[in-house]
Amino acid sequence: MRVAVGRCAPSLRSPWWRGAAALASGGLAVLVFPQPSLWWLAYGALVPLVLLIRTAATPGRAVLDGWLGGTGCVIAVQQWLIPNLTVFVLPIGALLGLAWIPFGWLVRRLLGGTPGPGRATAGVLLLPAAWLLGEVVRSWQYLGGPWGLLGASQWQVQPALRLASVGGVWLVSYLLVAVNTALAALIALPKARTVALAALLAVAVLVASVWLWVPLPPRTGSVRIAIVQPGVISGAPARFDRGVRLTRQLVGHRPDLVVWGESSVGFDLSAHPEQAARLADLSRQVGADILVNVDAQRADRRGIYKASVMVGPHGPTGDRYEKMRLVPFGEYIPFRSVLGWATKVGRAAKVNRRRGTHQVVMNVGSFRIGPMISFETAFPDMSRRLAVRGAHVLVVQESVSTFQGSWAPAQQTSLAAVRAAETGRPVVDATLTGISAVYDAGGRQVGPQLGTTASTARMYTVPLAGGRSLYDRSGDWAICAALGLLAVAGGYEVVRVAVARWRRRVNLPVSKAD
């Protein structure tokens, strides 16, 4: 073992090899997300990166390693964007990786050298906070949004989803990094192994306590919702016609609501009354309102919007939600006057979509729905706001057609499970081309998924839930707590350095005399 370590060590002294190791260590996190969804690896996926950074010779090197690790993580998790963004993937990954600079600095500061129990305890508390800070910063919609949050990798793990109902995905991310930090300390810090074991035990006790004492939302009934997934079809008219034919298959099944996927209608219904009449007639035949998604220039020429539009037996009901958070480069190009050339090297948006201004809750018979469109399901605050405003069911309309054959569809639908657990509200995730799925208020899957090769209409009995989750009531307290820890630690460090300088200045003559 000593010989092996001795042979590897010189390569890591090379800045190039060390940089490559940092990128690879950060990229290891891709394995915990769908696909391949090795969720259990999340409890140790960051250990190699932590062990690498703690050996940095200088704070500057630790900062660089942290940045490269964050860059590797971002690029690996969203590697399916490469066909669309091409050369932009690297600078975007490098930009977002900057959010992990504090993490890199703190790893060396707290775990570097031979720290005792005090620094190790600070590491277990502060390194998860620094990681969470990175996730929060890059969650800003103009920086790409909260895609690939570490906590979201636990979308199939019921104890983790119960934690999400208490503190959102942020609490799950924090605890995962705490476990990784404790494992790294257990491996590399002999003087801190007691602290590491205590931290692992504390996390286990917390998870068990939440599992035992935080109840699932009580069931209050059910509704029947149908998902219409036309599949991969070229052209908006053909896609619309397929949606109509599939919806007719629901006649006699008595759904309470029919949901079409994102961009299922390629024209403004107010400018095409004959097609609006077709949908109204379809609503009468099926006996339910139809939530379609319009991706088109508005009739008033105000621009292209993506909008959830409810159509009833008498035509559009007036309920309309326009997408607020757009996909950078996919639905608009930031600073198009400067970066417009992106359309020539990738599949970036030819024309910018326009943003909606507010969220909407729609009445559907005896229940209320909160619509979101595609990328918006990644934002915990949007689903939480809809739940607080009284939505009984969260409805997500997606497309994902651009990314067929990649890991994107599975990553996208997994987010719906996390949003369901956070809010205590079922989520219906209807896509144009798959994967479509339904999750109950605890984040458990209801019925089968519709894969990317499916072209069908399927009914789901969606269980409704009452009450409000702790996350609904308390909001992003986990973020506030993490930032508070970092602020306290920063204040302590400032005071410590100031006191040390004062002591050196006071004792300087004595030291020279000695």
Side-chain angles (χ1 to χ4, degrees), residues 96 123 230 269:
L96 298 179
L269 291 174

Side-chain angles (χ1 to χ4, degrees), residues 188-211:
L189 307 178
K191 294 181 180 180
R193 284 174 179 157
T194 300
V195 169
L197 290 172
L200 293 173
L201 179 61
V203 171
V205 169
L206 175 61
V207 173
S209 299
V210 170
W211 178 257

